[in-house]
Amino acid sequence: EIVLTQSPGTLALSPGERATLSCRASQSVSGSNLAWYQQKPGQAPRLLIFGASSRATGIPDRFSGSGSGTDFTLTISRLEPEDFAVYYCQHYGSSPWTFGQGTKVEIK
Amino acid sequence: EVQLVESGGGLVQPGGSLRLSCVVSGFTFSANYMSWVRQAPGKGLEWVAKINQDESEKDYVDSVKGRFTISRDNAKNSLFLQMNSLRAEDAALYYCVRGGSFFPQWGQGTLVTVSS
């Protein structure tokens, strides 16, 4: 099983700042099969990125994903008020699919 | 509009059973892999099971193998999760999700509580 470790656990930033979230895999994720989700309190997760760098439908271009192998990054170029939430990475390279433990982006 | 509506959650004693259902609209259900993902209260996300379009491929996380069964009824646009021998650690919000790899659409979830 691939274990995904996200860092930092919490990121305190101000609106307009850049957010950089990390997701590290315990072994290489085949085919860059990695996704990112955003979850707000009381809501279901929302797909942001798939294939490590492809934005899902309707996702603003301030969200970008990069990486391959064992190291992946989600970048939010300029934080908007609605971006403060918990973010999860998920691999789908080899069963079982697993999620990281999440990074909370909170208002500083 | 895509909708995934789960039902069937509730309070069950350890060792008991529940059957979750999910009715889908807004996309061609029969053409899509479907999955279940769960989230324990205040915790992260865990993929539970997936099923392909004609039920010929099913896969589960190890912790539920032999206890949970995923199935579907394409004529009724419905996805199911039969959960037997429930344990305390199965307590969670169970999401019905579109997809078998990454998950572009999610329901709002149905809550399963396991307690005596």
Side-chain angles (χ1 to χ4, degrees), chain A residues 2-104:
Chain A
I2 295 178
V3 176
L4 299 178
T5 302
Q6 292 186 240
S7 61
T10 302
L11 194 54
L13 295 168
S14 301
E17 289 193 294
R18 181 185 188 90
T20 302
L21 287 66
S22 173
C23 177
R24 178 162 290 179
S26 60
Q27 55 188 282
S28 183
V29 176
S30 63
S32 293
N33 290 324
L34 189 111
W36 290 92
Y37 301 84
Q38 176 194 68
Q39 187 176 33
K40 297 178 182 178
Q43 296 184 17
R46 177 174 70 145
L47 176 68
L48 301 174
I49 301 286
F50 62 94
S53 61
S54 297
R55 270 188 301 277
T57 302
I59 302 304
D61 60 7
R62 64 180 181 273
F63 291 92
S64 63
S66 63
S68 64
T70 60
D71 289 295
F72 298 87
T73 301
L74 175 70
T75 302
I76 311 172
S77 59
R78 289 177 54 85
L79 282 164
E80 297 287 340
E82 62 268 27
D83 298 337
F84 292 91
V86 179
Y87 292 84
Y88 295 95
C89 58
Q90 175 235 335
H91 89 86
Y92 48 98
S94 58
S95 183
W97 312 155
T98 57
F99 290 85
Q101 83 281 15
T103 289
K104 183 178 182 180

Side-chain angles (χ1 to χ4, degrees), chain B residues 6-49:
Chain B
E6 304 94 335
S7 61
L11 174 63
V12 62
Q13 292 186 340
S17 298
L18 276 178
R19 188 187 194 220
L20 307 184
S21 300
C22 171
V23 178
V24 162
S25 60
F27 65 90
T28 306
F29 178 74
S30 60
N32 283 266
Y33 274 74
M34 296 293 296
S35 299
W36 290 95
V37 173
R38 67 185 178 184
Q39 186 170 34
K43 302 297 184 181
L45 300 166
E46 182 180 37
W47 168 77
V48 174

